[in-house]
Amino acid sequence: MNNSYFIRTFGCQMNDHDSETMAGLLENMGYCEADKPEGADVIIINTCSVRENAHNSFFGVLGQYKKLKEKNKALVIGVAGCMMQQDILVKQVKTKYPFVDFIFGTYNIHELPDLVQESKLLKKTNVRVLPERESIQEGLPVKRKYPFRALVDITYGCNNFCSYCIVPYTRGREVSRGPEDILSEVRNAVKSGTKEVMLLGQNVNSYEYGFSKLLGNLSQVEGLKRIRFMTSHPKDMTEDLIKAFSKYHNLSKHLHLPLQSGSDNVLSRMNRGYTKGKYLQLIKDIRREVPDIGIRTDIITGFPGESEEDFQETLNFVEEVQFDSAFTFIYSKREGTPAAACEDQVEESVKHERFQRLVKVVNESALSKNLSYIGKVEEVIIEGVSRKSNEYLEGRTDSFKLVNFKGPMEALGETVLVKITEANTFSLKGTLDL
Ligand code: SAH
Ligand code: SF4
Ligand code: F3S
């Protein structure tokens, strides 16, 4: 039997995609994917620094893998990702978890094969962490998690320095991939069965060579059914991009547009570069152009100095905008960011209580948006068997809503028409419309 690998991924789509590259590199070395860490020969943990809970779960997982290593001395364990761009955490892993064979940073992914080879010879933790990106590595192998959906990086890093966020420190300054490299990756993915691309970047609409132009070029790739992107930043939304939704037939009617807060005071201290008035105007412009677009957002509760009035403004704003869905976060102090040094940190219990109130309002609008789909016939790309019940398949509408329905298992990756019959807060149910 072949040697096997297991990758545990925390964090965002960037990390999901980096893990796909790590999987590709390991498969090229002859390893095959294991479905659980127990029994694997190589285990990689791809970490995230963005919030406290990902940080804590990482140390929990490391503790579990330590036991696996005690049972199997030949097991190779590597740690990668954003946490490893922070010196203090590299030191902590080296001293407290010396069974880790190697550590590599977000700019060193291509060195994984060397690190695996060298781990067989070295006795101490091998560390390869560049402090800054030196170049963009093109042409690395990728093993896609979903064959019909390709995650494709278009920018790396971030220049925005939102005052709460660690990403600019773990992913470095923003750089853009060349349009030809992106196009050829997408063309190749489509040749091997991709129906949908998800363009990735911390702020895709600041893509150096023109984001709307890139969308225009990608929309012409034959056989590409859907194009999505995340994340776009409200301060860089252009009229061109809004128009692109009606101009390009395969640009999905779905937009992830993080709000973060509905208070101008908080937005300014977050260094977001827009006001709630500007954000609302954008929403109106987008909905005028594409009335049935699905809009998703990110919101943080309990940013330093957020008063009850500030929070109330966020609640009212969320109610006014009626998002299709939202990722809601409790503010988490990240060492090294400006907001972590603020003295007016909000008490833990207050942050949590606001979070609960926010979730309630967000869920109400999500349910009401979903209810409006009942009776409609939607194009759905089949993504697999439902995670909740194996009697059902699941897939997504063009507006990124999850739909469960009964249908043929062999049709994975195919587009079908589904008539929506039921709606919940987080998903829709329907029947095939034949
Ligand atoms: N580049 C993307 C987001 C990357 S992080 C953007 O600008 O939208 C994803 C989300 O995590 C952010 O939108 C924010 O809502 C949340 N987040 C980031 N740092 C956080 C922190 N310190 N505490 C709580 N939530 C945070
Ligand atoms: Fe973080 Fe702001 Fe950059 Fe997003 S835009 S990654 S929230 S600094
Ligand atoms: Fe986390 Fe790094 Fe993404 S900090 S959110 S994995 S860019």
Side-chain angles (χ1 to χ4, degrees), residues 158 160-162 164-165 167-168 202 233 260 272:
C158 185
N160 289 324
F161 291 94
C162 301
Y164 51 82
C165 184
V167 172
Q202 295 299 346
H233 197 301
Q260 312 300 2
R272 288 291 291 177

Side-chain angles (χ1 to χ4, degrees), residues 215-318:
L215 291 175
N217 289 336
L218 286 169
S219 74
Q220 286 165 24
V221 173
E222 213 168 311
L224 184 57
K225 293 239 171 215
R226 285 179 179 173
I227 305 169
R228 305 185 187 286
F229 54 87
M230 79 178 284
T231 304
S232 43
H233 197 301
K235 79 174 168 56
D236 296 316
M237 277 306 275
T238 57
E239 220 178 294
D240 256 15
L241 182 51
I242 296 175
K243 292 247 153 40
F245 285 103
S246 33
K247 201 158 152 197
Y248 305 125
H249 69 287
N250 47 3
L251 183 58
S252 285
K253 295 187 171 52
H254 171 243
L255 181 68
H256 182 82
L257 196 66
L259 168 69
Q260 312 300 2
S261 168
S263 148
D264 282 344
N265 180 11
V266 174
L267 283 173
S268 143
R269 284 183 303 105
M270 285 177 161
N271 191 29
R272 288 291 291 177
Y274 54 88
T275 58
K276 75 171 176 187
K278 161 127 196 265
Y279 188 98
L280 189 62
Q281 192 55 50
L282 276 175
I283 297 285
K284 286 186 177 156
D285 292 347
I286 294 160
R287 285 192 173 142
R288 188 176 320 113
E289 190 74 21
V290 204
D292 50 349
I293 194 163
I295 302 180
R296 185 172 67 180
T297 197
D298 292 350
I299 303 166
I300 301 175
T301 65
F303 179 79
E306 182 190 69
S307 65
E308 175 57 28
E309 290 69 39
D310 289 323
F311 176 65
Q312 198 63 50
E313 279 193 59
T314 302
L315 278 187
N316 294 343
F317 194 74
V318 168

Side-chain angles (χ1 to χ4, degrees), residues 23-311:
L25 290 163
L26 290 166
E27 300 231 341
N28 273 8
M29 294 175 77
Y31 287 87
C32 62
E33 191 176 0
D35 54 9
K36 54 182 191 315
E38 292 79 12
D41 301 284
V42 175
I43 299 179
I44 309 287
I45 314 174
N46 195 4
T47 61
C48 167
S49 319
V50 91
R51 284 175 297 273
E52 188 73 26
N53 39 5
H55 182 276
N56 293 343
S57 321
F58 160 63
F59 286 107
V61 163
L62 207 47
Q64 287 166 26
Y65 296 169
K66 180 178 181 196
K67 298 203 182 93
L68 298 179
K69 183 107 176 188
E70 280 162 2
K71 281 192 226 144
N72 170 17
K73 293 273 178 283
L75 170 63
V76 173
I77 298 182
V79 179
C82 289
M83 283 175 76
M84 297 303 108
Q85 290 302 133
Q86 296 170 277
D87 287 346
I88 181 162
L89 291 170
V90 170
K91 281 198 195 99
Q92 196 174 337
V93 172
K94 270 171 66 183
T95 49
K96 293 206 183 134
Y97 304 86
F99 63 90
V100 168
D101 294 277
F102 57 83
I103 290 173
F104 58 118
T106 55
Y107 316 115
N108 301 70
I109 294 170
H110 57 284
E111 294 180 65
L112 176 58
D114 290 347
L115 286 163
V116 172
Q117 289 299 345
E118 288 168 23
S119 67
K120 308 212 159 91
L121 312 167
L122 286 172
K123 285 276 165 287
K124 63 177 189 13
T125 308
N126 199 359
V127 180
R128 298 271 179 87
V129 180
L130 282 171
E132 276 292 331
R133 176 178 297 282
E134 286 184 343
S135 60
I136 296 179
Q137 299 285 330
E138 289 295 346
L140 294 181
V142 180
K143 186 188 180 221
R144 302 209 183 271
K145 189 166 163 206
Y146 306 102
F148 47 84
R149 175 185 298 148
L151 305 177
V152 174
D153 290 322
I154 69 162
T155 66
Y156 301 98
C158 185
N159 290 347
N160 289 324
F161 291 94
C162 301
S163 61
Y164 51 82
C165 184
I166 195 82
V167 172
Y169 310 91
T170 61
R171 295 275 172 168
R173 292 296 61 71
E174 183 181 286
V175 284
S176 297
R177 274 179 87 189
E180 273 314 314
D181 292 319
I182 296 170
L183 267 160
S184 85
E185 181 178 347
V186 171
R187 283 193 200 105
N188 286 334
V190 170
K191 267 187 215 142
S192 34
T194 286
K195 308 279 189 245
E196 171 177 316
V197 296
M198 172 72 101
L199 304 174
L200 300 179
Q202 295 299 346
N203 181 3
V204 287
N205 40 356
S206 64
Y207 178 66
E208 191 185 337
Y209 308 102
F211 185 54
S212 309
K213 196 166 148 209
L214 179 71
L215 291 175
N217 289 336
L218 286 169
S219 74
Q220 286 165 24
V221 173
E222 213 168 311
L224 184 57
K225 293 239 171 215
R226 285 179 179 173
I227 305 169
R228 305 185 187 286
F229 54 87
M230 79 178 284
T231 304
S232 43
H233 197 301
K235 79 174 168 56
D236 296 316
M237 277 306 275
T238 57
E239 220 178 294
D240 256 15
L241 182 51
I242 296 175
K243 292 247 153 40
F245 285 103
S246 33
K247 201 158 152 197
Y248 305 125
H249 69 287
N250 47 3
L251 183 58
S252 285
K253 295 187 171 52
H254 171 243
L255 181 68
H256 182 82
L257 196 66
L259 168 69
Q260 312 300 2
S261 168
S263 148
D264 282 344
N265 180 11
V266 174
L267 283 173
S268 143
R269 284 183 303 105
M270 285 177 161
N271 191 29
R272 288 291 291 177
Y274 54 88
T275 58
K276 75 171 176 187
K278 161 127 196 265
Y279 188 98
L280 189 62
Q281 192 55 50
L282 276 175
I283 297 285
K284 286 186 177 156
D285 292 347
I286 294 160
R287 285 192 173 142
R288 188 176 320 113
E289 190 74 21
V290 204
D292 50 349
I293 194 163
I295 302 180
R296 185 172 67 180
T297 197
D298 292 350
I299 303 166
I300 301 175
T301 65
F303 179 79
E306 182 190 69
S307 65
E308 175 57 28
E309 290 69 39
D310 289 323
F311 176 65

